Amino acid sequence: MEYKFTNNWFEINAKSVWEQLFHEISPAKVLEIGSYEGRSTTWLLEQESVIEITCIDSWQGGAEHQARGVDMIEVERRWDHNRILWETAFPKKRINKIKGRSSIELAGLLRSNEVSPFDFVYVDGSHDPADVIVDACLAFDLLGKNGILVFDDYTWIYSENNQRYPHRSPKIAIDFFTTVFSDRIRMINAPIKQIIIQKIV
């Protein structure tokens, strides 16, 4: 049995940067907002330092998935298939699947007295700016001091009927967040398609 993936975005655009980053930070507890089929999840679990990962996804997809006719039921099935392999390959690591809207589920984690801070958070859920800013603020509260927060799809622009709509894209929310939180974060060099910050307070 092999992993089931239908795209290679993570391998092409993020893997090399993350490899260098993980050599420096060695996070143990990871939160992934937007897990899709689990390609980045797989890489994270392969890292020796990671002992627990929490994956939040609605598996409903966004407007871009609907426009492309992506079958999100099958996407979730592939994630579940891959989880079986993860649990076999990494029996000592804890894998938490949380299915639901990220704003609700992140708030639930914040309310829980049993959740300790995360060392690494990957924000790759909804591309809608309103959702991105909510995910970012809640994730920041869940992140421990000196923890790393990675935003995906910084240069992604929503398009429909050959028209591009920057105001419906993640960049404006990410720029807003990094401006408002500028005295509480440190920017880390990263490929332009991703923004990586470190929480300093």
Side-chain angles (χ1 to χ4, degrees):
M1 191 161 62
E2 298 180 349
Y3 291 124
K4 291 184 178 180
F5 301 120
T6 60
N7 67 72
N8 198 33
W9 192 96
F10 176 79
E11 300 285 332
I12 296 171
N13 294 287
K15 182 180 176 181
S16 61
V17 175
W18 283 29
E19 285 176 340
Q20 181 179 352
L21 182 65
F22 269 62
H23 280 307
E24 300 171 2
I25 63 173
S26 299
K29 188 174 179 182
V30 174
L31 171 62
E32 187 175 54
I33 304 169
S35 201
Y36 203 64
E37 299 169 329
R39 182 176 282 277
S40 57
T41 316
T42 302
W43 186 89
L44 288 162
L45 286 166
E46 290 172 345
Q47 307 314 299
E48 185 176 354
S49 66
V50 174
I51 60 173
E52 180 179 355
I53 185 166
T54 297
C55 303
I56 298 177
D57 202 310
S58 67
W59 282 282
Q60 296 296 310
E64 67 275 15
H65 299 107
Q66 296 172 11
R68 300 201 316 266
V70 176
D71 186 340
M72 293 303 298
I73 293 176
E74 287 302 315
V75 170
E76 183 181 9
R77 284 176 179 165
R78 287 192 287 274
W79 191 97
D80 289 333
H81 165 90
N82 293 332
R83 180 179 184 168
I84 294 172
L85 300 184
W86 300 330
E87 290 176 339
T88 300
F90 313 106
K92 295 182 179 180
K93 301 194 178 191
R94 184 173 180 182
I95 304 165
N96 306 311
K97 175 186 178 182
I98 302 178
K99 183 176 180 178
R101 186 177 176 86
S102 57
S103 58
I104 295 172
E105 303 305 335
L106 290 168
L109 290 177
L110 280 170
R111 286 194 302 269
S112 175
N113 293 324
E114 300 177 359
V115 176
S116 59
F118 290 91
D119 305 308
F120 183 92
V121 178
Y122 184 31
V123 179
D124 187 26
S126 169
H127 290 150
D128 183 276
D131 293 333
V132 173
I133 195 63
V134 172
D135 286 349
C137 291
L138 292 174
F140 191 80
D141 280 347
L142 287 162
L143 191 65
K145 185 178 179 181
N146 297 319
I148 298 296
L149 181 61
V150 179
F151 292 99
D152 201 12
D153 298 309
Y154 182 66
T155 58
W156 183 90
I157 298 178
Y158 180 80
S159 61
E160 184 177 323
N161 299 323
N162 296 318
Q163 295 290 323
R164 289 158 63 88
Y165 300 93
H167 67 286
R168 296 179 63 183
S169 303
K171 183 179 184 300
I172 57 173
I174 297 169
D175 288 344
F176 176 82
F177 175 85
T178 55
T179 299
V180 171
F181 285 79
S182 60
D183 61 343
R184 286 169 273 184
I185 64 174
R186 179 176 72 90
M187 303 294 292
I188 296 177
N189 290 334
I192 193 62
K193 292 182 179 180
Q194 291 191 331
I195 295 295
I196 302 179
I197 68 165
Q198 184 174 37
K199 182 177 183 176
I200 59 176
V201 295

